[in-house]
Every structure is written in C-alpha cells, then in structure tokens.
Amino acid sequence: MFPVVIGHTLTEGQRFTVKSGSTGTATGVKVGTYWHGNSELGLPRHGSTTLLLDPETGRLSAVIEAAAANAMRTAAADALAVQALARDDASTLTVVGTGTQAFYEAAAVARVRPIARVLISGRSEAKAAQLADRLSAHLSVPVTPTSIQAAVEAADVLVTVTTSREPLFNAEWVRPGTHVSAMGADGPGKQELPTALHARAALFCDVIEQTRTLGEFQHAPQHMPITPLRDVLRGDAPGRVIRDQVTIFDSSGFALQDLTLAEHILAAHTAREAT
C-alpha cells in the first residue's frame, strides 16, 4: 500500500481520496469521492471508482464503478471487527448516522451478533424514521429512532457513520463492555468520538499509518497503543480481554480491500457473461 492522497475541487464540499496498492494478482487505485451537493440532485454524496492496471503491461485493464459494493465492503470490515471484538451476547445495536452507509452497517453487524433491537440517532428525525422503517423490514427486529444519549447509553455495539468534525456524544454515556466501531473519519480534522473515551478503551484499527493521519485516532494521544485488527485475527494480539472492557475499532479503509473487491466483481461478471 502507498500513502493516501487527499484532493478537493475549487467548490466547497467536494473532495476525493486516492488509495493505491498492489497485491500478488492486482494493481491499481481506488478513487473515493464526496460531493456534498449530490443530495440535492437525488444522488449519493459518496462515490467509489476502482481502476485496475494490467500487471504485465501497466496499461488500464478495468474501470469499476463500485459505490454500492464499496458500501458493502465497508460494512463487512465493520462486521469483522464486531465479530472479533464485541461481546458474544451483544444484542442492542446503536447506529449514529442516517445516510446510505448506515443501513449496510446495521445489516452487516446483525449477521455476526444476536441483535434483538436497533436504535437509530441522527440530525434529521425524518431520515432516522425512514432508516428505521427500512431496517425493520430487512432485519425483522424492532428498530427505533431515539435521542443520541439514549441510544449511546443502551448500546452493546455502537456504530458511528457520519461526516462529523467534532465528538457526537459524551464519553461517560458509553457503558462498560460496549464495542464501538468508528466508521466515519476518513480525512484530517474529522472526528466522531470524544477523546476522553480513548483513555478507558482498547484501540484497534485497520491501518495504523492511516488512523493516525486521517482516521479517528488522529485525535488519540501518541503514547496510546493501537492494535491492527489483523493481529487479533491472526492470534498475534488479544482482542477483548474482559467482559466490561470498552473496545474501539477505527476503519478508514485501504486499497488492498478495494483491489480484492474489484477482482471479485470482475470474476462474477465474467462468470455471468459466460452463462
């Protein structure tokens, strides 16, 4: 993997990131976009395009518009962290955020823990109600819009998926034993969690270099240890040590996920075309 490039246009609220990398079978870049004004056009504000290069010649071999697939990939990363770090009996899921990604996060987490109810909190009551209706039909469990304090205080698993640049809640609202997945911070200055929460939690991430520069833990003290989730999955580092421990996973996404996803999309397309 290589350093992330962050760019913007001359119009406020339009930015993009470029993440690049190479695996044994794929080389390329993922361009992630955020165009704030798209919501007024009835379009998603987030976009995702992956460009694959021919490993033999370096020429362009595929362009994949993968916004929907990227939302699933992001949620899958969250679910993997929940599976590795949350309590086995975690049954109350709180989602802070009401955008497109929030639906996928809840749907993915519900596949790895016995979620019996979902609480939704967001700035727009109307959007929270719409998301609750959609999730209720999909998950067949009670989904309730509520205040952020009530939602955070009740959470066994807490997922934040916003574009916030300041803490969304107070640290003392988080109960002992809660797992927190911070999915929104993906650029300098972004922040969803109160820094006071770091001191009473075990910190995990996907890529340390990214979480310190553009992820949630850019706001964590430099002396605090952060464990890559891969070390937990490999058995090289502990995850949750005791039941009442608070765990935090920060995900900023990385190129190798996007390249692998692109390969699977192409393989599925090729197989479908063959039939």
Side-chain angles (χ1 to χ4, degrees):
M1 293 184 297
F2 306 99
V4 177
V5 175
I6 301 176
H8 59 83
T9 72
L10 297 180
T11 301
E12 185 177 358
Q14 297 176 352
R15 65 178 182 85
F16 59 90
T17 59
V18 179
K19 298 176 180 178
S20 57
S22 182
T23 71
T25 58
T27 297
V29 302
K30 193 280 284 287
V31 181
T33 60
Y34 178 79
W35 254 241
H36 187 270
N38 278 6
S39 56
E40 299 175 4
L41 303 174
L43 298 172
R45 290 181 291 181
H46 290 273
S48 179
T49 304
T50 301
L51 292 81
L52 293 181
L53 304 179
D54 187 300
E56 299 296 328
T57 66
R59 304 299 293 271
L60 185 65
S61 64
V63 178
I64 301 173
E65 202 293 312
N70 185 73
M72 297 178 191
R73 190 273 297 160
T74 301
D78 182 10
L80 188 62
V82 170
Q83 189 174 45
L85 301 172
R87 301 192 328 265
D88 290 341
D89 62 350
S91 60
T92 296
L93 168 63
T94 288
V95 179
V96 180
T98 58
T100 300
Q101 189 63 44
F103 172 84
Y104 290 100
E105 298 295 327
V109 171
R111 296 184 65 170
V112 299
R113 282 297 181 269
I115 300 301
R117 65 168 176 162
V118 180
L119 303 176
I120 303 293
S121 181
R123 291 178 298 178
S124 167
E125 293 183 4
K127 289 184 177 180
Q130 291 172 359
L131 177 60
D133 289 343
R134 186 182 176 194
L135 278 172
S136 180
H138 182 77
L139 298 177
S140 298
V141 301
V143 183
T144 306
T146 187
S147 70
I148 189 167
Q149 180 170 355
V152 171
E153 289 179 340
D156 297 318
V157 176
L158 169 61
V159 178
T160 58
V161 55
T162 74
T163 59
S164 179
R165 289 184 171 270
E166 59 185 20
L168 297 167
F169 52 85
N170 296 332
E172 57 267 26
W173 296 351
V174 179
R175 297 189 301 176
T178 301
H179 170 74
V180 181
S181 288
M183 308 300 292
D186 60 355
K190 284 194 170 185
Q191 181 180 9
E192 296 184 300
L193 309 184
T195 54
L197 187 61
H198 300 157
R200 48 182 285 239
L203 310 185
F204 302 85
C205 72
D206 45 18
V207 181
I208 287 183
E209 293 81 1
Q210 287 184 191
T211 195
R212 283 292 192 185
T213 57
L214 54 84
E216 188 65 40
F217 297 144
Q218 63 186 283
H219 307 287
Q222 288 296 316
H223 70 272
M224 292 199 67
I226 302 173
T227 302
L229 185 63
R230 66 173 181 267
D231 290 353
V232 178
L233 299 176
R234 290 172 175 171
D236 296 334
R240 174 174 296 274
V241 177
I242 59 174
R243 178 177 175 81
D244 285 345
Q245 185 178 35
V246 174
T247 55
I248 302 175
F249 171 68
D250 172 56
S251 175
S252 53
F254 55 98
L256 303 188
Q257 292 174 323
D258 299 303
L259 296 178
T260 301
L261 174 63
E263 287 187 296
H264 280 281
I265 290 174
L266 285 177
H269 175 72
T270 301
R272 185 167 60 249
E273 288 294 299
T275 59

